[in-house]
Amino acid sequence: VTWSDVEMARRAAVMIMSRDYKVGDVVKVKAIIIHPMDTGFIKDKRTGRVKPRFFIKRVTAYYNDKIIAHFDLEVAASQNPKIIFPVKITAPGMIKVIFENNKGEKTVKSTEVSPVEY
Amino acid sequence: MERREFLRKAGVAIAILLIDPSILEDSLAAEEEAIRIPFKKIYEELTRGKKVIEGRIKLKVPKIAEDGAVVPIEIEVDFPMEKDNYIQKIHVLPTKNRVNKVITAHYTPDNGIAYLYVNAKLAESQDIVVLAETNGGTIFKTSRFVKVLISGCGDME
């Protein structure tokens, strides 16, 4: 088992922000994960030691198993990073988001796509 | 491996670790140590050899951000998302942080529109620069000034 195979049990969520949408519409999808975005510049007040860089490095979005977008984050993104991105609805199915930190740990979340009139 | 050869190699390995135990941790350290990203450097890397045009980007940021730790940034680029003509990348770059990169979004026509929302950390009042690059390599650029009341970077080392 390598680090990249480890799935983190972190709190995260993916949701489609529109209530009713049909095929052809563009919806906005919110992806959020509870995770530090430690810069490597700041001291931990308790230990007095510099906290190493520890952050969400990549977020990848799949729509029915096809990659439709990915995001490279740096430590200037806020703690518990939140991204909203658009998706053009073409069919029912799933939107899946994989969050990966700089240690290669992954968290996977998905949400169902169910357009009206389907 | 001969016993003698093994002892020799093991000896060399131990000697190396005694001199510099960090060799083992180097690959990890590269990811864990603080990295500065100067604005000028990343801007030049992203725009080198490319045509930069002002405009086309609607950038919504607060005029005054009370808490620099969470500054909402909303972007929409006025450009098609067609098969051969679309916005492929959106870069969000602060200008006066130690790390002047928030995110690069990599998009495809499947996104439908070129929109992005993200939260940024800002150490002080500064310009936010957004670059939107087409699949053909043209870059649209816009910037907005954000006044920060409370630094988003905590106590520095």
Side-chain angles (χ1 to χ4, degrees):
Chain A
V1 180
T2 65
W3 269 111
S4 55
D5 297 322
V6 177
E7 195 175 320
M8 296 181 286
R10 287 192 187 269
R11 285 182 295 154
V14 176
M15 66 174 282
I16 296 175
M17 294 170 75
S18 318
R19 185 167 286 194
D20 292 320
Y21 51 89
K22 48 189 189 301
V23 167
D25 287 352
V26 174
V27 298
K28 285 172 183 167
V29 178
K30 187 190 290 186
I32 181 163
I33 182 164
I34 305 304
H35 196 287
M37 293 298 274
D38 290 334
T39 60
F41 290 113
I42 293 168
K43 264 186 190 163
D44 187 320
K45 285 196 181 98
R46 279 168 303 176
T47 64
R49 282 200 206 126
V50 173
K51 282 196 277 182
R53 247 161 87 90
F54 185 49
F55 64 107
I56 294 293
K57 194 174 182 180
R58 175 166 278 217
V59 177
T60 310
Y62 297 77
Y63 181 15
N64 290 341
D65 295 324
K66 182 185 175 193
I67 294 180
I68 55 164
H70 72 267
F71 304 87
D72 297 318
L73 283 80
E74 253 300 341
V75 293
S78 301
Q79 182 187 351
N80 305 333
K82 176 169 96 176
I83 300 169
I84 301 173
F85 60 93
V87 178
K88 188 169 188 180
I89 298 300
T90 53
M94 285 290 237
I95 291 171
K96 183 175 79 179
V97 173
I98 300 181
F99 303 87
E100 185 175 351
N101 69 16
N102 61 321
K103 293 186 173 173
E105 300 165 347
K106 290 173 183 169
T107 297
V108 183
K109 289 285 163 186
S110 40
T111 187
E112 199 179 325
V113 179
S114 47
V116 292
E117 297 160 26
Y118 226 94
Chain B
M1 203 185 288
E2 295 272 328
R3 183 167 175 268
R4 191 179 302 166
E5 193 193 349
F6 170 78
L7 286 175
R8 191 178 58 81
K9 285 192 173 158
V12 169
I14 288 165
I16 287 172
L17 286 176
L18 283 175
I19 294 164
D20 187 3
S22 69
I23 282 174
L24 273 182
E25 294 157 10
D26 266 4
S27 58
L28 263 183
E31 286 287 352
E32 291 193 342
E33 273 168 24
I35 297 168
R36 284 169 190 266
I37 304 180
F39 173 76
K40 191 166 180 277
K41 181 167 170 265
I42 188 163
Y43 181 82
E44 279 171 4
E45 272 171 26
L46 295 173
T47 58
R48 190 172 297 132
K50 289 171 181 159
K51 192 175 169 190
V52 179
I53 301 168
E54 292 275 344
R56 290 254 195 171
I57 302 170
K58 211 164 77 190
L59 170 57
K60 238 171 90 181
V61 291
K63 276 203 181 93
I64 300 172
E66 284 151 21
D67 180 6
V70 186
V71 181
I73 295 176
E74 198 173 18
I75 298 152
E76 190 161 349
V77 190
D78 177 21
F79 199 80
M81 290 297 266
E82 295 160 353
K83 189 167 162 275
D84 301 313
N85 191 35
Y86 62 96
I87 296 295
Q88 198 171 45
K89 291 174 200 168
I90 299 175
H91 310 281
V92 179
L93 311 174
T95 51
K96 286 189 171 176
N97 277 356
R98 293 190 185 194
V99 176
N100 288 302
K101 177 181 171 182
V102 176
I103 194 168
T104 296
H106 300 258
Y107 280 160
T108 64
D110 296 327
N111 293 102
I113 56 172
Y115 168 92
L116 174 68
Y117 174 100
V118 69
N119 289 326
K121 278 190 284 206
L122 300 181
E124 58 180 299
S125 300
Q126 58 187 289
D127 279 316
I128 303 289
V129 173
V130 171
L131 303 176
E133 185 172 346
T134 69
N135 60 311
T138 300
I139 293 180
F140 300 109
K141 176 190 170 189
T142 202
S143 63
R144 284 267 180 290
F145 186 76
V146 180
K147 185 177 164 67
V148 174
L149 294 188
I150 300 166
S151 170
C153 291
D155 299 327
M156 293 298 183
E157 112 200 38

